[in-house]
Amino acid sequence: MIKKLIRKILGVKEAPVREAKRNTGVPVILGADQHGIDPRLLSSNAVRVTSTLQEAGYQAFVVGGAVRDLLLGVKPKDFDIATNATPEQVKRLFRRAFIIGKRFQIVHVMFGQDLLEVTTFRGPSTDNAPKDEHGRVLRDNTFGSQAEDAERRDFTINAMYYNPANQEVWDYHGGIEDIRARTLRIIGVPEARYREDPVRMLRVTRFAAKLGFQIEPGTREPITVMAPLINNVPPARVFDEMLKLLMSGQALACLLQLRKEGLHHGLLPLLDVVLEQPLGVKFVTLALDSTDKRIHAGKTVSPGFLFASLLWHQVLEKWNAYKAAGEFPIPALHLAADDVLDSQTEKLALQRKIGSDMRDIWSMQPRFERRTGKNPYKLLEHLRFRAGYDFLLLRCASGEIDAELGEWWTAFYDGDETEREQLVASLSHGGAAAGGAKRKRPPRRGGRSKGDGGEGGGSDSGQGDDSYADAPRAASGGRGAGASAGTEATPAPSEPREPREPREQREPRPPRARAPRAPRSRASAGADTVGNGGGHGNGNDGE
């Protein structure tokens, strides 16, 4: 009480006192009645890993974002474990454990499809650690104590440790108070921490939008100046962070926060142009809202669909430009997709599968306009039809295309065989509504020989040119191909033909007698063999 009164009289703020507490290296330990974590939200495999390490004589805690989510009453998606055991010691305790990482080694422990990340307590970064010319740490495998590990973490709300065995939370940097105040605060000097790892600027933006927290002023101020440092981060890391941002359940809020902090330049450079267009804003908003709803409902989300939605209006703009330049629609669409993907791949390491899914979704859009014949049935069998169909509905909802197209495909997708046939037939009778009138078959070149007596050389319909229709029959029984167009002959009067007997009642033809072949000598056979390039090759005497 006396200390509080002195602070109040002298006007000393509480923040420096809390900062002094953070630097003591002594944690504030809270029991189950103080932090209020529900043990039922814990993963059974996380408890299994911590208990296995503790039984082997090591320290083990659930750490990081999992503790933050547990304190907020949210079931964590991932569980990270921190221990004083080295990666090799951890690996020996579990059957399916793999050491990964170059900058800092970690262990992935697998239980079926469940993956847990186990890290050794990190020590303070040394001056000898390899860095790039901008100060980003490239490799740092220094191990240390739990207090040193807490100081190495990025934000106070992520620097707490939870022990499932006794349900205690160890807080080194006032993370509990910041969670209650809904404040994001970086540990240490912000400029130095951002320079060590520029991805922290993306992380603070994501946490602020996802959790609805306010960024502490000292943490926010350097971001605008140091944002260009993100260009030095490997594209794969930037892509992973962007994917977490877009699939956080608050994707639109995260993108708006990126723009607010000036971090969107270089990440999604085309997004600025999209968000300045009325149709683009509506389309992106609908796509991100749909993604957030699926995440909140526990459904899967396709990254390819997400990025295809964000970049569609840039593809559309380039597609129209190529068509205006005289390119055919389908090749123009592929060229536009190549341009947009190439410009993004330089900044984001889009995986090949994601890029392939984006191309499939985009290339299906013109095919939805072809609704006659077998075209709808073939498109329905496409492996990515559902993604392309959902993309089409977004285009209809945003006002880009007529809603009638989406309604027709919804009815076709949900209908049975009879209803689908009726939908296709209604458009076939409608003509242009189904993508244009039915094409007429072009006339055949030349006539087709029907082989009937006296009608050789006639056309398909039996009403060919007069020179062909009036041509005389050939001498061999009237079954010839008729006279040629340049032959001048006197037309013979047509005589009625007698009806033929059915094929089953006709008498079989007698076998035609063949004259015996004259025997050949060896010399003539050999000569014949040589003359024919080998002939039969044997020159048998009996034949």
Side-chain angles (χ1 to χ4, degrees), residues 95-260:
R95 185 172 61 87
R96 296 183 63 195
F98 311 94
I99 299 176
I100 66 167
K102 291 183 178 180
R103 179 182 172 187
F104 187 83
Q105 289 186 340
I106 60 178
V107 182
H108 280 176
V109 180
M110 303 286 295
F111 295 99
Q113 298 296 323
D114 193 8
L115 184 148
L116 289 92
E117 203 169 87
V118 182
T119 60
T120 305
F121 292 146
R122 292 175 294 177
S125 180
T126 61
D127 296 334
N128 297 329
K131 302 177 181 178
D132 64 7
E133 63 273 16
H134 303 284
R136 183 173 65 91
V137 178
L138 300 177
R139 189 174 294 104
D140 187 10
N141 284 328
T142 305
F143 301 140
S145 64
Q146 186 182 30
E148 293 171 336
D149 183 79
E151 194 170 351
R152 287 287 303 273
R153 298 193 175 269
D154 47 10
F155 307 109
T156 58
I157 62 173
N158 292 338
M160 292 175 287
Y161 301 79
Y162 177 71
N163 186 353
N166 55 16
Q167 299 185 22
E168 289 181 349
V169 172
W170 292 28
D171 182 11
Y172 284 89
H173 297 280
I176 290 284
E177 296 180 19
D178 284 339
I179 283 182
R180 291 170 180 169
R182 305 187 72 81
T183 301
L184 270 172
R185 188 191 312 270
I186 200 166
I187 298 173
V189 181
E191 292 83 355
R193 302 310 304 275
Y194 292 148
R195 196 174 297 277
E196 287 176 0
D197 189 2
V199 172
R200 287 175 178 145
M201 290 184 280
L202 297 178
R203 288 168 60 82
V204 71
T205 303
R206 172 163 60 91
F207 291 143
K210 178 182 177 181
L211 304 175
F213 282 20
Q214 295 295 323
I215 303 176
E216 188 261 337
T219 303
R220 165 176 277 164
E221 289 173 1
I223 292 179
T224 304
V225 179
M226 306 186 74
L229 291 177
I230 296 179
N231 297 329
N232 305 319
V233 179
R237 280 200 69 203
V238 176
F239 174 76
D240 290 341
E241 193 60 36
M242 282 296 298
L243 201 57
K244 292 178 182 178
L245 185 146
L246 294 172
M247 302 181 70
S248 62
Q250 299 291 337
L252 184 60
C254 288
L255 285 181
L256 294 177
Q257 189 74 31
L258 277 180
R259 295 190 72 196
K260 181 180 178 181

Side-chain angles (χ1 to χ4, degrees), residues 117-438:
E117 203 169 87
V118 182
T119 60
T120 305
F121 292 146
R122 292 175 294 177
S125 180
T126 61
D127 296 334
N128 297 329
K131 302 177 181 178
D132 64 7
E133 63 273 16
H134 303 284
R136 183 173 65 91
V137 178
L138 300 177
R139 189 174 294 104
D140 187 10
N141 284 328
T142 305
F143 301 140
S145 64
Q146 186 182 30
E148 293 171 336
D149 183 79
E151 194 170 351
R152 287 287 303 273
R153 298 193 175 269
D154 47 10
F155 307 109
T156 58
I157 62 173
N158 292 338
M160 292 175 287
Y161 301 79
Y162 177 71
N163 186 353
N166 55 16
Q167 299 185 22
E168 289 181 349
V169 172
W170 292 28
D171 182 11
Y172 284 89
H173 297 280
I176 290 284
E177 296 180 19
D178 284 339
I179 283 182
R180 291 170 180 169
R182 305 187 72 81
T183 301
L184 270 172
R185 188 191 312 270
I186 200 166
I187 298 173
V189 181
E191 292 83 355
R193 302 310 304 275
Y194 292 148
R195 196 174 297 277
E196 287 176 0
D197 189 2
V199 172
R200 287 175 178 145
M201 290 184 280
L202 297 178
R203 288 168 60 82
V204 71
T205 303
R206 172 163 60 91
F207 291 143
K210 178 182 177 181
L211 304 175
F213 282 20
Q214 295 295 323
I215 303 176
E216 188 261 337
T219 303
R220 165 176 277 164
E221 289 173 1
I223 292 179
T224 304
V225 179
M226 306 186 74
L229 291 177
I230 296 179
N231 297 329
N232 305 319
V233 179
R237 280 200 69 203
V238 176
F239 174 76
D240 290 341
E241 193 60 36
M242 282 296 298
L243 201 57
K244 292 178 182 178
L245 185 146
L246 294 172
M247 302 181 70
S248 62
Q250 299 291 337
L252 184 60
C254 288
L255 285 181
L256 294 177
Q257 189 74 31
L258 277 180
R259 295 190 72 196
K260 181 180 178 181
E261 303 299 337
L263 290 170
H264 59 289
H265 298 296
L267 297 177
L268 290 172
L270 302 178
L271 192 61
D272 246 4
V273 183
V274 172
L275 294 179
E276 292 174 0
Q277 302 171 357
L279 283 179
V281 172
K282 190 172 183 180
F283 183 84
V284 171
T285 302
L286 288 171
L288 296 180
D289 284 345
S290 174
T291 300
D292 292 343
K293 289 178 182 178
R294 289 185 63 86
I295 291 175
H296 293 154
K299 299 179 180 179
T300 58
V301 176
S302 168
F305 182 89
L306 201 51
F307 281 100
S309 303
L310 291 177
L311 301 176
W312 166 244
H313 274 76
Q314 290 304 310
V315 175
L316 190 62
E317 181 180 346
K318 292 183 178 292
W319 185 21
N320 292 331
Y322 276 117
K323 288 192 294 184
E327 193 68 55
F328 288 104
I330 301 303
L333 178 58
H334 291 309
L335 290 173
D338 290 340
D339 290 348
V340 173
L341 288 177
D342 290 344
S343 64
Q344 288 299 320
T345 305
E346 295 177 0
K347 301 297 181 182
L348 295 175
L350 288 172
Q351 299 174 6
R352 184 176 299 179
K353 182 183 183 305
I354 293 178
S356 176
D357 291 346
M358 294 168 66
R359 290 178 188 275
D360 287 344
I361 292 171
W362 291 336
S363 63
M364 269 192 283
Q365 300 311 304
R367 297 180 61 184
F368 282 109
E369 299 177 5
R370 299 161 55 187
R371 295 175 282 169
T372 57
K374 296 183 179 179
N375 292 321
Y377 297 95
K378 291 180 180 179
L379 187 57
L380 200 63
E381 297 174 357
H382 198 288
L383 293 177
R384 301 290 301 164
F385 171 81
R386 181 67 199 196
Y389 165 72
D390 290 340
F391 197 87
L392 175 72
L393 295 184
L394 284 179
R395 296 176 64 202
C396 295
S398 66
E400 179 192 333
I401 56 177
D402 191 358
E404 182 273 335
L405 184 62
E407 294 171 357
W408 188 93
W409 274 102
T410 300
F412 186 82
Y413 180 67
D414 295 335
D416 55 19
E417 290 298 326
T418 303
E419 293 172 344
R420 290 176 180 176
E421 291 176 1
Q422 293 174 353
L423 287 168
V424 174
S426 64
L427 287 181
S428 300
H429 295 310
K438 187 177 180 180

Side-chain angles (χ1 to χ4, degrees), residues 437-449:
K438 187 177 180 180
R439 294 182 180 179
K440 293 183 179 180
R441 178 177 294 180
R444 293 183 179 274
R445 296 182 181 178
R448 177 187 293 177
S449 175

